[in-house]
Amino acid sequence: MRNRYRQAMSMGDHDAVVGASPAGVGLASVAVPSQAGPYTAEFQLSVGEAKILQFTKKPQIAAVAELVWNALDANATEVEVELRRDWDAITQIVVTDNGDGMTLKRARAAFEGYGETWKTGKTHTEGNTRILHGRNGEGRLYAFALGNRFTWESVAEVDEELVGVRADGDADHATIWRVVPTAPTRDTTGTKVRIDIPQGKTLRGLERQDAAANLTAKLAFYLRAYPDVRVTFDGKRLDPSDIIVGEPVDLPLELPEEYAHEDPAPVVTFVEWNQRMSDRRMLICNADGIALYEQGREWTDSIVSFTPYLRSNLFNNISVDDLHGLPMSHGGLLDAAAKAVQEYLALRGAQISAEVVRQLKEEGIYPYEGQPTSRTQVIERQTFDVVVTVARDALPARGAARRLSVSLIQTALESSPGDLHTILEKVLALSDDDRRHLKNLLDSTDLTHVIGAATTVTNRLNFIGILRKILADPHLRKDLREVDQLHPMISQNLWLFGEDWNMAMPEVGLTNVLQAHLVEQLGEDVVLENRLDTVTQPDGRTGRVDILLFRSRRDESSTERLVVELKRPTVKVGKKELDQVTGYARAIVDDPQYKGTNCKWRFYLVTYEYSDKIHRDIRQKDKPEGLADDHHEYEVWVKNWGEILDAAEKKLLFFQRQLNYEATDDRVTQHLRESYSRFIPESLASEDQSDTASADGV
């Protein structure tokens, strides 16, 4: 043993002096003066530091996988990846294996050359024991993605004796590697890689809960093919059978003509996992399923967690450069693979969803019965099925909590889709990844937007029915109080005057100007909406007044303002009232604060009924009905409630037909009591609610 160690050191010293490749072969590295003693060889790679430092950007799990592959390619049957921590921070990564190890000569060949490896041209490990993974001479460089100082300590057997070698490198001198023979550090062959993590560097890819699963996915076919191989990561043995759902499925591809003669034909093997993976790109593999490269976009699916493996003999001896160029050289094959994955993914998602729904029905907690009767119900039910399927693992396993969770999802979709994500986060504690995937799905299909729009439409139809019901009934109309009933209902539904006003806000700065001209032009019976709390009758009840409602909206170039005078149903609007609001409009736009500004004012005089004496004023040729005064700065409109409700209903007619929804009296009354109970006449609020027990409000 001692003679062999001396011979190895002598060989190392000789090689350090020569430090050159055979004649006629291009240099991959050049020797540099020894800095660590007479037996140390230092090599500087000629490719340049920038090329090497590109590896710092590689995915961290992929970097660990490369270190494991190097061990497996050396015939290791035991590979341990240890994450050493200090105060929960990873400070060192140690990868230990029981493989063949490296002799000094092989270490020199491995560390002095870039893109050169003993594996080139080979398909199996030494002794034809197992399939080789790497053939590109880059595996060790993935260590740059993990830390800043690297040491390989290896023991190999030569002529039945053990020899040792150590290789060192660091990120500050990325192209320089030091290789030195050592005394054997262990009693058996194998290699130990130590990677030091600089203070402040985080390895989130290794700290994730799914880190072991992601690493298992990259090694899955290999570990299934060689069950005697044992790989552990951070104390956990990697076993594909722990995370694989069922058996992998080979998806046939609709291949371009150029691949017609490939035997066997390229195939995508779809492997489904029982937990979420953060690495979701297609793995390019040789025919045996050994992963060589990650290709294309990340697959994001909220229901199925999976990895697609594109397997082909075409990739058996492919170089790194060729792998990077796959979209150009094999674009048709990649497209066919992606299409097959997408189609199977839709099928598999539907199968899982159907199973979840079946289980909820068996438990008696599926919230829908019978067949949907409208397009809205179809979409709502489809969306519920998707959401509850995504959340299936987060739902309580049994009991009242499970029933409540299902009910909360259904309620959110029915009335407030915007609350759905809050429920999934706060109530069900759905993971960030699952909520992000679900959001992407719902955003891409617009299902919740459709439900939200449908809810808006049906609520508006119901509101129109509410006003018609109240205004058509003399007793209800008489009981209606403008201050605390009509006004708050209208202020919540300004879409009646145009969709753009629905989200507009009162402009505080308008109050003084509107108030300054109020009494002079409109009289003492008209009150600004933000001063209604001062209007009371002697008995303490709110008074009977006309209300001035105002809103503003603006962008970078212009401002629009809406002023609505809500007349009491008992007031019949005639020439006097029209002249008053016209005079008010002109006084406002001529006020020094607003005169000459780029602002458009719209004044609405809204009444239950108007006099025939103003028909000519509001039915002018070439002008819309109701437009009484039209100028560049302002418009004055007179509208009765029938005209306003008819116009709003016509805009909703198309959606109403699509939804197959009718605002029946029962539905309207139920919606009225549910949404506007504080604002409706007491006589309506106190009616026997048994009449509406079967209402179908949406």
Side-chain angles (χ1 to χ4, degrees):
M1 177 77 74
R2 184 174 301 167
N3 290 338
R4 175 61 59 191
Y5 173 53
R6 288 174 178 167
Q7 179 182 352
M9 289 197 297
S10 175
M11 182 190 303
D13 188 41
H14 174 73
D15 287 349
V17 173
V18 176
S21 300
V25 179
L27 292 178
S29 62
V30 295
V32 298
S34 173
Q35 302 293 325
Y39 305 115
T40 299
E42 283 193 356
F43 304 96
Q44 182 168 2
L45 301 184
S46 61
V47 296
E49 189 172 274
K51 179 74 171 178
I52 304 303
L53 291 180
Q54 289 180 0
F55 286 86
T56 62
K57 301 177 182 178
K58 297 291 185 181
Q60 293 161 1
I61 281 292
V64 171
E66 286 298 322
L67 298 174
V68 173
W69 280 123
N70 279 347
L72 297 176
D73 285 348
N75 279 324
T77 58
E78 297 277 346
V79 185
E80 179 184 9
V81 180
E82 182 183 359
L83 305 181
R84 295 181 177 176
R85 295 175 171 85
D86 185 13
W87 294 98
D88 293 332
I90 300 175
T91 58
Q92 191 178 61
I93 299 173
V94 180
V95 182
T96 307
D97 70 65
N98 66 346
D100 295 338
M102 292 184 291
T103 63
L104 180 64
K105 182 177 181 180
R106 180 161 286 180
R108 284 277 305 276
F111 285 94
E112 74 175 296
Y114 173 81
E116 297 178 6
T117 173
W118 64 271
K119 306 174 190 178
T120 303
K122 297 180 179 292
T123 60
H124 287 72
T125 62
E126 294 288 351
N128 288 325
T129 304
R130 298 199 295 268
I131 295 170
L132 272 175
H133 169 266
R135 300 183 184 88
N136 296 298
E138 292 184 337
R140 70 190 183 282
L141 300 178
Y142 277 77
F144 283 94
L146 302 172
N148 63 344
R149 290 197 302 272
F150 325 104
T151 300
W152 276 256
E153 290 182 342
S154 191
V155 174
E157 184 176 322
V158 178
D159 296 337
E160 299 183 353
E161 292 195 45
L162 298 179
V163 298
V165 64
R166 187 181 74 244
D168 299 287
D170 66 76
D172 292 334
H173 307 89
T175 61
I176 296 177
W177 293 88
R178 291 165 294 279
V179 179
V180 58
T182 66
T185 56
R186 54 196 289 173
D187 296 333
T188 58
T189 62
T191 300
K192 178 172 288 188
V193 183
R194 291 187 177 88
I195 301 173
D196 293 330
I197 315 302
Q199 187 174 4
K201 182 178 178 65
T202 57
L203 298 177
R204 293 188 179 90
L206 307 187
E207 295 281 20
R208 293 177 58 97
Q209 290 185 346
D210 63 358
N214 284 323
L215 184 57
T216 304
K218 298 183 185 307
L219 305 172
F221 279 91
Y222 192 96
L223 295 177
R224 284 166 63 91
Y226 303 109
D228 59 320
V229 172
R230 180 185 179 92
V231 178
T232 61
F233 174 82
D234 201 22
K236 176 180 176 59
R237 181 178 180 181
L238 306 186
D239 186 351
S241 63
D242 289 341
I243 60 174
I244 287 181
V245 176
E247 285 295 320
V249 177
D250 287 341
L251 308 180
L253 308 181
E254 296 179 11
L255 293 168
E257 184 63 29
E258 60 194 280
Y259 299 97
H261 302 294
E262 290 294 327
D263 188 22
V267 66
V268 169
T269 299
F270 188 100
V271 179
E272 186 176 338
W273 313 110
N274 61 15
Q275 57 184 275
R276 181 69 60 190
M277 299 285 190
S278 57
D279 290 346
R280 298 178 294 271
R281 300 169 72 187
M282 181 177 291
L283 295 180
I284 304 300
C285 309
N286 62 19
D288 297 296
I290 305 302
L292 308 172
Y293 184 68
E294 293 181 332
Q295 169 63 37
R297 66 178 178 88
E298 285 196 352
W299 289 88
T300 57
D301 187 80
S302 57
I303 295 177
V304 187
S305 180
F306 69 100
T307 300
Y309 299 78
L310 177 56
R311 303 165 56 196
S312 174
N313 281 323
L314 294 167
F315 308 135
N316 283 358
N317 297 293
I318 194 168
S319 69
V320 172
D321 289 339
D322 288 339
L323 283 169
H324 287 300
L326 283 180
M328 297 186 64
S329 60
H330 292 288
L333 175 57
L334 296 178
D335 289 344
K339 181 181 178 182
V341 171
Q342 192 66 58
E343 291 176 351
Y344 184 75
L345 193 56
L347 173 64
R348 185 69 187 119
Q351 291 173 342
I352 295 174
S353 185
E355 176 59 25
V356 171
V357 170
R358 183 196 62 77
Q359 183 177 350
L360 293 179
K361 288 181 177 179
E362 286 186 354
E363 297 173 24
I365 60 175
Y366 188 70
Y368 305 100
E369 295 181 359
Q371 295 299 315
T373 58
S374 69
R375 178 61 177 161
T376 310
Q377 293 178 6
V378 171
I379 295 173
E380 180 186 327
R381 195 173 299 193
Q382 289 173 345
T383 308
F384 173 85
D385 292 350
V386 169
V387 173
V388 80
T389 301
V390 173
R392 62 192 184 278
D393 294 328
L395 290 173
R398 62 183 64 86
R402 182 173 173 86
R403 180 182 296 274
L404 175 61
S405 298
V406 171
S407 178
L408 284 173
I409 294 174
Q410 187 265 339
T411 301
L413 290 176
E414 181 182 85
S415 58
S416 183
D419 293 338
L420 178 60
H421 292 292
T422 301
I423 291 171
L424 295 176
E425 177 185 7
K426 304 297 185 183
V427 180
L428 298 182
L430 201 64
S431 71
D432 291 342
D433 276 347
D434 282 340
R435 282 189 287 110
R436 184 173 64 253
H437 297 154
L438 178 59
K439 181 179 184 302
N440 291 338
L441 174 65
L442 297 181
D443 286 348
S444 65
T445 58
D446 283 335
L447 289 175
T448 53
H449 298 298
V450 171
I451 291 175
T455 301
T456 298
V457 169
T458 53
N459 284 342
R460 289 183 179 183
L461 290 170
N462 284 334
F463 181 71
I464 291 171
I466 288 170
L467 288 185
R468 289 193 187 281
K469 182 180 181 70
I470 293 174
L471 296 173
D473 188 320
H475 300 292
L476 293 176
R477 189 167 70 245
K478 181 180 178 182
D479 290 343
L480 182 67
R481 298 192 301 273
E482 290 72 24
V483 174
D484 54 1
Q485 293 180 339
L486 179 61
H487 164 259
M489 285 195 291
I490 299 303
S491 65
Q492 294 178 24
N493 293 275
L494 286 177
W495 48 270
L496 290 168
F497 301 97
E499 185 62 41
D500 292 342
W501 296 109
N502 195 42
M503 301 300 293
M505 302 294 292
E507 184 177 344
V508 177
L510 270 177
T511 302
N512 292 335
V513 173
L514 294 176
Q515 184 65 36
H517 301 281
L518 190 62
V519 175
E520 178 184 352
Q521 301 292 335
L522 298 182
E524 296 181 353
D525 288 339
V526 183
V527 181
L528 298 184
E529 62 175 324
N530 57 354
R531 297 189 175 180
L532 286 173
D533 56 352
T534 64
V535 180
T536 57
Q537 292 180 346
D539 62 1
R541 296 179 61 187
T542 52
R544 312 289 290 191
V545 296
D546 299 328
I547 300 167
L548 205 65
L549 201 146
F550 53 96
R551 296 290 185 274
S552 294
R553 65 178 187 220
R554 64 182 70 206
D555 56 28
E556 297 82 358
S557 59
S558 65
T559 301
E560 291 183 83
R561 293 186 171 94
L562 175 72
V563 180
V564 180
E565 183 181 357
L566 298 177
K567 285 294 185 181
R568 288 161 284 167
T570 55
V571 175
K572 188 173 184 179
V573 168
K575 188 68 172 176
K576 173 186 172 183
E577 288 77 18
L578 177 56
D579 289 344
Q580 284 179 331
V581 76
T582 302
Y584 187 68
R586 293 174 181 176
I588 296 297
V589 299
D590 287 340
D591 190 283
Q593 183 172 342
Y594 295 107
K595 190 173 184 178
T597 61
N598 187 17
C599 177
K600 181 73 173 185
W601 297 78
R602 289 181 173 84
F603 294 83
Y604 277 84
L605 181 57
V606 179
T607 179
Y608 176 72
E609 186 180 7
Y610 48 72
S611 170
D612 293 342
K613 294 180 179 180
I614 63 171
H615 272 192
R616 288 190 178 90
D617 297 289
I618 60 176
R619 299 289 188 272
Q620 300 181 41
K621 184 179 180 181
D622 299 328
K623 287 185 179 181
E625 290 189 5
L627 183 57
D629 199 10
D630 185 15
H631 291 269
H632 177 71
E633 309 101 313
Y634 73 93
E635 298 171 354
V636 175
W637 295 79
V638 178
K639 290 285 186 180
N640 64 36
W641 283 116
E643 293 167 340
I644 291 175
L645 299 180
D646 280 347
E649 211 164 34
K650 287 177 182 177
K651 293 178 182 178
L652 298 171
L653 184 60
F654 170 78
F655 300 102
Q656 181 182 15
R657 289 172 177 169
Q658 295 298 308
L659 298 172
N660 190 26
Y661 180 81
E662 181 182 357
T664 64
D665 187 67
D666 285 346
R667 287 173 170 173
V668 165
T669 304
Q670 179 176 321
H671 183 70
L672 181 64
R673 288 170 175 157
E674 290 176 350
S675 303
Y676 300 97
S677 59
R678 294 178 296 136
F679 310 135
I680 59 179
E682 288 82 353
S683 56
L684 183 59
S686 61
E687 284 183 14
D688 184 5
Q689 295 190 20
S690 63
D691 292 340
T692 61
S694 61
D696 186 20
V698 178

